[in-house]
Amino acid sequence: MASIRDLKKDVNFVLGDIIEAVYLWEAGSNNVNSKEGNALIDKAISVFDDLMGKIHQKDVDNSKAHFKDIRVQLEDKATKLIEQLNKLSN
């Protein structure tokens, strides 16, 4: 099983890359500080806070299943954020 530290890094890198992609979209389309971009960044930060809170939970019965569920949630939520970003690019 991957370590908790690796899971934290994955959450940070994935959501950080999404935020960076929003900034690149804004710069490339001359929509600096757009409402859509800011909303997407806010969602990414909210997902980050939510997942980190779950990682730091202490009262977990089955830690292996708990961390596996967090990894699945990260994948699902990141996919949704990327889909929203792709809609902005069209």
Side-chain angles (χ1 to χ4, degrees):
M1 181 175 134
S3 71
I4 296 171
R5 179 178 22 172
D6 289 340
L7 180 57
K8 288 179 184 179
K9 285 180 181 180
D10 288 344
V11 169
N12 193 30
F13 290 144
V14 168
L15 296 173
D17 286 347
I18 292 171
I19 291 171
E20 183 178 352
V22 172
Y23 286 135
L24 290 173
W25 169 78
E26 286 182 338
S29 63
N30 293 326
N31 287 330
V32 180
N33 290 328
S34 67
K35 274 195 283 184
E36 300 90 358
N38 286 336
L40 200 53
I41 290 170
D42 289 344
K43 286 180 188 177
I45 292 170
S46 176
V47 169
F48 176 85
D49 291 342
D50 179 50
L51 293 177
M52 283 301 192
K54 290 179 181 181
I55 289 172
H56 292 290
Q57 270 184 320
K58 297 295 181 195
D59 56 346
V60 177
D61 293 332
N62 184 348
S63 63
K64 186 175 182 179
H66 176 72
F67 292 120
K68 188 174 184 178
D69 182 55
I70 292 171
R71 191 167 291 282
V72 169
Q73 287 180 31
L74 170 62
E75 189 175 320
D76 290 341
K77 292 178 180 186
T79 301
K80 289 178 185 175
L81 288 170
I82 291 169
E83 287 171 358
Q84 291 175 357
L85 176 62
N86 287 338
K87 287 179 185 176
L88 292 178
S89 298
N90 292 333

